[in-house]
Amino acid sequence: MTEKTDTARRARMGLVAKAPPARLAALMAGVEVPGFDWLRAPEVGGVMVRGRMGGTGAPFNLGEMTVTRCALRLATGEVGHGYVQGRDKAHAERAALVDALMQTDRAEAVQAQVLDPLAEAALTAKATRAAKAAATKVDFFTMVRGED
Amino acid sequence: MYVAVKGGERAIDNAHTWLTEERRGDTAVAELGTDQIREQMSLAVNRVMAEGSLYDPDLAALAIKQARGDLIEAIFLIRAYRTTLPRIGTSEPVDTGAMACDRRISATFKDVPGGQVLGPTFDYTHRLLDFKLAADGEVPETPQAEASGADMPRVTEYLNRDGLIQSEPESDETPPDMTRQPMEYPANRALRLQALTRGDEGFVLSMAYSTQRGYAKNHPFVGELRIGAVAVEMDIPELGFAIEIGEITLTECETVNQFTGSKTEPPQFTRGYGLVFGQTERKAISMALVDRALRWEELGEDNLGAPAQDEEFVLSHADNIQATGFLEHIKLPHCVDFQSELELVRRIRADVDNAAMKEAAE
């Protein structure tokens, strides 16, 4: 696979992993799902999250988070992987389906029906939070400055 | 000496049934949903995730409900669940510099680039009970302002530019994991940070407070405190590249501490570091102070014999699940142990009485 398609795949897998499961389910309702076989049935596990000392130094173990993963193969042969935060097996399944479908000739439709709305919602959510934070930014006025 | 006994099954069953009823409370009052706990008791949820050492808000909310609001019991439930999870992998170290900050303040630089952002804080509230909360659920609309989108660079980076603060050595060394290997002393800083971030908030707070009151004082300033969301990336072997598998909220605190210099180091500032799951700022600040106190040896400072400098004392007492397990086990039947103690005390008293009688007779 070329570097460019890797980058695109990386981006969409991250988008689907971070999407609210209910939102992804609602968008996927309009997508015709082909038959598939499990390569790895959905499995819940833990991922150890690491941080860095001082934010930039040597790594240390911060604690785990729950993650659900699965892998499937469409009847047409494409393999999709799903890795999502939390314990929602249906979320992981949908993530893997999106990954697989994006390798088929239905990629454009899935992009328009699922990925674009998810990306837009994620941007809006992030912007709203940033705007609320910006409204709590302090403006200082120096009232009196102590001299010597 | 341990003696196995049987019995009490019916009493135990009935006790558990009653517990279930008491947990529910007055059924005329609507039952609390775990989604309500997750959304409206979010700081309790954050504490349970941090000390349970598992980031999953739904599970933490369930644990709080099951534990009737006893947070240490809830943490216990999360720790027990955590041990059942197969380890899928390890994330790339999170990039807190790229955090989408809800809050970001510096006590050392008023005009820090990116600004002082207060976020949804209790600071500057009057700490007066708000009876409106008991009456209605009206929520005012939160004001919004245009976000500049500018980076929020680390405050310590400024000091670092002038060499005024100790730099944080870069490394990609695999850190030890206390959930996989037993604790060993002396512990390196990576192990200490892991133990502190999951340590009991009250204990870590008190240890930090003791350093402020003079037991190994290290003159901390909060160089920076930030709270917000960071993406978690993990390398996926079957893909051959890393993807973002989720997003978590973290609280990070960097302290800037006085350091007068040593034989090999010029006077400069040093650092303490706190990083904790969720919005947990009291814990993150405490962690940074204790981290700094525990670094006395590598910084060439004197051991003043202060509790916060004693890593074995701090790390082996920071875990509230270990502590409560050992503490609470003494309420379980110790009848045989006690029987032998009782006999011993009776024998000693008899010996003393006999000796006294003998003395009187002579």
Side-chain angles (χ1 to χ4, degrees):
Chain A
M1 204 173 279
T2 69
E3 212 158 276
K4 196 180 157 202
T5 55
D6 271 1
T7 310
R9 193 175 182 193
R10 233 179 80 88
R12 66 180 184 247
M13 289 182 81
L15 177 65
V16 173
K18 294 189 289 181
R23 177 86 175 129
L24 176 62
L27 292 170
M28 285 288 281
V31 175
E32 194 197 325
V33 175
F36 64 84
D37 289 318
W38 289 119
L39 297 177
R40 175 192 276 142
E43 165 193 32
V44 178
V47 165
M48 177 55 88
V49 180
R50 286 191 178 147
R52 286 188 184 280
M53 300 172 190
T56 54
F60 69 96
N61 291 308
L62 183 63
E64 283 167 277
M65 64 188 269
T66 51
V67 170
T68 305
R69 67 172 170 186
C70 67
L72 50 79
R73 183 187 284 122
L74 299 183
T76 44
E78 294 80 6
V79 171
H81 295 280
Y83 274 82
V84 301
Q85 178 172 11
R87 291 162 296 113
D88 188 335
K89 290 181 176 174
H91 185 192
E93 177 181 329
R94 291 189 185 101
L97 278 171
V98 169
D99 185 38
L101 286 169
M102 286 303 290
Q103 301 164 48
T104 68
D105 54 7
R106 293 168 59 201
E108 218 167 293
V110 174
Q111 179 74 40
Q113 284 176 44
V114 181
L115 294 174
D116 289 346
L118 283 183
E120 202 186 312
L123 267 181
T124 307
K126 197 171 175 183
T128 304
R129 227 167 155 91
K132 287 177 184 172
T136 68
K137 192 158 148 180
V138 181
D139 297 315
F140 286 107
F141 306 95
T142 303
M143 309 289 285
V144 179
R145 166 156 264 161
E147 301 287 350
D148 303 314
Chain B
M1 179 170 137
Y2 290 94
V3 175
V5 291
K6 268 178 77 84
E9 287 91 344
R10 200 184 53 202
I12 290 170
D13 284 347
N14 292 346
H16 290 171
T17 307
W18 195 16
L19 165 65
T20 304
E21 186 188 289
E22 288 286 302
R23 176 193 293 126
R24 176 61 183 86
D26 184 352
T27 50
V29 176
E31 187 177 351
L32 192 55
T34 54
D35 53 345
Q36 291 172 310
I37 297 172
R38 187 192 64 223
E39 297 301 315
Q40 297 173 44
M41 293 281 121
S42 54
L43 299 192
V45 166
N46 287 342
R47 182 171 175 188
V48 170
M49 295 196 300
E51 295 172 34
S53 200
L54 184 67
Y55 198 102
D56 188 317
D58 293 308
L59 281 181
L62 173 63
I64 290 168
K65 179 172 178 172
Q66 188 178 334
R68 306 175 65 188
D70 178 340
L71 296 189
I72 291 186
E73 181 72 19
I75 292 159
F76 198 164
L77 294 168
I78 292 298
R79 290 274 186 94
Y81 176 83
R82 194 201 66 78
T83 60
T84 67
L85 287 176
R87 176 75 62 86
I88 286 180
T90 303
S91 84
E92 302 288 320
V94 290
D95 181 5
T96 51
M99 182 184 279
C101 294
D102 288 348
R103 173 165 167 79
R104 189 282 199 121
I105 53 170
S106 170
T108 51
F109 293 100
K110 179 169 71 76
D111 298 310
V112 58
Q116 305 260 4
V117 176
L118 300 182
T121 177
F122 290 128
D123 293 354
Y124 317 109
T125 61
H126 296 293
R127 266 69 182 220
L128 299 173
L129 278 175
D130 180 1
F131 290 97
K132 281 206 307 271
L133 278 176
D136 64 44
E138 294 261 318
V139 182
E141 195 176 331
T142 303
Q144 300 191 9
E146 200 176 328
S148 66
D151 285 348
M152 292 216 178
R154 288 177 184 288
V155 166
T156 46
E157 295 296 312
Y158 294 103
L159 289 167
N160 205 7
R161 232 173 266 167
D162 304 328
L164 288 176
I165 193 164
Q166 204 192 25
S167 58
E168 207 58 82
E170 281 178 34
S171 157
D172 280 316
E173 198 183 324
T174 303
D177 183 354
M178 62 185 285
T179 69
R180 294 290 148 126
Q181 300 111 22
M183 282 296 282
E184 267 182 36
Y185 302 101
N188 64 15
R189 192 175 175 208
L191 205 51
R192 298 198 300 253
L193 290 171
Q194 185 182 12
L196 288 174
T197 192
R198 75 210 296 264
D200 181 75
E201 178 174 313
F203 178 84
V204 182
L205 168 66
S206 292
M207 280 290 128
Y209 180 45
S210 75
T211 69
Q212 289 186 291
R213 289 194 61 253
Y215 293 87
K217 223 180 181 89
N218 53 40
H219 304 277
F221 295 99
V222 172
E224 184 169 356
L225 179 79
R226 50 170 74 192
I227 303 176
V230 297
V232 179
E233 251 186 50
M234 185 171 74
D235 196 49
I236 309 294
E238 53 268 40
L239 293 175
F241 52 84
I243 63 164
E244 289 178 359
I245 53 170
E247 194 174 59
I248 61 176
T249 298
L250 294 176
T251 302
E252 181 184 54
C253 175
E254 288 198 85
T255 57
V256 175
N257 303 65
Q258 213 179 72
F259 182 60
T260 50
S262 67
K263 282 188 194 115
T264 51
E265 300 283 335
Q268 61 179 353
F269 293 104
T270 54
R271 306 160 178 248
Y273 189 64
L275 185 66
V276 186
F277 280 161
Q279 181 179 342
T280 41
E281 87 182 41
R282 183 185 302 116
K283 170 74 174 286
I285 300 170
S286 303
M287 177 176 168
L289 264 59
V290 177
D291 169 48
R292 176 60 186 77
L294 289 172
R295 299 183 67 199
W296 64 272
E297 198 164 13
E298 65 201 67
L299 295 172
E301 293 174 335
D302 291 331
N303 182 357
L304 303 167
Q309 285 181 310
D310 183 337
E311 71 168 28
E312 188 163 359
F313 179 83
V314 173
L315 302 185
S316 57
H317 298 113
D319 192 285
N320 52 26
I321 301 311
Q322 272 174 11
T324 206
F326 199 61
L327 182 114
E328 293 199 50
H329 102 280
I330 64 170
K331 73 191 172 185
L332 300 175
H334 278 67
C335 316
V336 177
D337 277 2
F338 185 69
Q339 202 68 40
S340 69
E341 298 267 321
L342 198 62
E343 270 167 34
L344 183 66
V345 171
R346 283 195 175 126
R347 201 166 59 234
I348 295 169
R349 285 175 67 113
D351 289 349
V352 170
D353 286 350
N354 287 341
M357 268 159 62
K358 224 179 195 177
E359 213 170 280
E362 281 165 10

